[in-house]
Amino acid sequence: MSVNIEAYRDLMATLPVEATLVAVSKFQPNEAIESLYAAGHRDFGENRVQELASKAAVLPKDIRWHMIGRIQTNKIREFAPFVHLVHSVDRTDVLTVLQKEAARADRTIDILLQVHIAQEETKAGFSPEEVLGLCAVNVLNEYPNLRIVGLMGMASFTEDRDQIRREFSLLASLYRAAQEQLGVGQITVLSMGMSGDYDLALAEGGNHIRVGSLLFGARISQ
Ligand SMILES: *Cc1c(COP(=O)(O)O)cnc(C)c1O
């Protein structure tokens, strides 16, 4: 069995109504996505452009595709026309090219700023100071085809749940600061929490959780 429908139903039953489950389907076959789709699910997340584009081309058109992985600017054109929400905008280069490709596709793209909240250097993202700088109206005017709708973060890879919770709490306070700058009507998405820590993310106010292995089983690859 490639997808655990029971785990899916259990998770949906405990999720607050205002929260969105992004089912992370990376490395999963189309059939696994179709099973979850048949159960009524529409939000799916992928972390590699090639895989995102080839799945979107053949799967139902009402799926909302979330780009959650590290973005190479030369691949943005492949998902700009259809992506629902880009979670992983982690540097200004990406903003620049996303703006160009959104204009080219004649649409507005909703994006999240990825914030570096983990202790590892390897995790991508803007610093909290950079995020607040980007949430200034004069800066946003440079990106007329992009709409910053929230923040995304990944906690440290650790067994220390107190540390994970502190990192989510930090992101949540930055989210509230961004709301103060741009308004609660615009900043509505706080994307944090994965299979191992989504409960902590929800407790800290996260409203988009990105869950893969809990639904689809362990992956062979990251
Ligand atoms: C793979 C991935 C997830 C899901 O991880 P699981 O531990 O399988 O739930 C969430 N977010 C990002 C950015 C990912 O790359």
Side-chain angles (χ1 to χ4, degrees):
M1 195 172 63
S2 54
V3 59
N4 187 340
I5 293 290
E6 205 174 318
Y8 169 70
R9 293 204 194 286
D10 287 349
L11 183 52
M12 290 305 278
T14 59
L15 209 61
V17 280
E18 71 279 7
T20 298
L21 166 66
V22 178
V24 177
S25 47
K26 60 190 185 191
F27 299 101
Q28 303 300 332
N30 290 348
E31 297 71 50
I33 297 173
E34 281 163 344
S35 306
L36 219 47
Y37 180 91
H41 203 69
R42 293 295 178 270
D43 289 275
F44 291 90
E46 292 283 339
N47 70 337
R48 294 183 309 168
V49 172
Q50 213 51 63
E51 191 173 341
L52 172 64
S54 56
K55 284 175 171 171
V58 297
L59 287 164
K61 293 299 168 211
D62 61 341
I63 287 181
R64 294 183 288 267
W65 291 104
H66 298 250
M67 175 60 188
I68 64 167
R70 175 113 181 140
I71 297 168
Q72 289 170 268
T73 50
N74 62 350
K75 303 247 173 90
I76 289 176
R77 187 166 297 181
E78 294 175 53
F79 65 80
F82 68 86
V83 72
H84 173 68
L85 178 63
V86 184
H87 292 232
S88 46
V89 176
D90 65 349
R91 55 198 197 278
T92 42
D93 277 9
V94 173
L95 282 169
T96 308
V97 180
L98 259 175
Q99 164 55 36
K100 199 171 114 224
E101 294 302 332
R104 186 187 155 92
D106 196 20
R107 64 177 298 225
T108 300
I109 298 180
D110 285 350
I111 63 165
L112 306 180
L113 298 177
Q114 183 171 352
V115 190
H116 186 264
I117 52 169
Q119 290 192 330
E120 297 106 74
E121 275 307 315
T122 50
K123 290 219 166 71
F126 292 106
S127 69
E129 296 73 30
E130 288 172 317
V131 168
L132 294 178
L134 286 167
C135 290
V137 174
N138 59 330
V139 177
L140 294 180
N141 286 344
E142 293 171 36
Y143 310 106
N145 292 73
L146 303 181
R147 211 161 62 105
I148 298 180
V149 298
L151 304 180
M152 178 273 220
M154 291 175 87
S156 296
F157 186 71
T158 173
E159 299 286 305
D160 182 350
R161 303 212 359 126
D162 289 336
Q163 185 185 336
I164 294 173
R165 186 152 184 166
R166 277 196 301 276
E167 291 171 359
F168 285 156
S169 166
L170 174 84
L171 187 60
S173 48
L174 189 62
Y175 174 74
R176 288 188 294 270
Q179 283 183 322
E180 267 172 42
Q181 265 181 280
L182 292 176
V184 289
Q186 177 171 339
I187 302 295
T188 56
V189 178
L190 180 54
S191 170
M192 58 186 193
M194 322 198 329
S195 292
D197 54 22
Y198 72 86
D199 56 328
L200 298 176
L202 291 172
E204 289 299 330
N207 59 22
H208 275 53
I209 57 172
R210 309 178 309 271
V211 174
S213 42
L214 188 73
L215 303 172
F216 297 107
R219 291 178 297 272
I220 345 158
S221 187
Q222 266 311 303

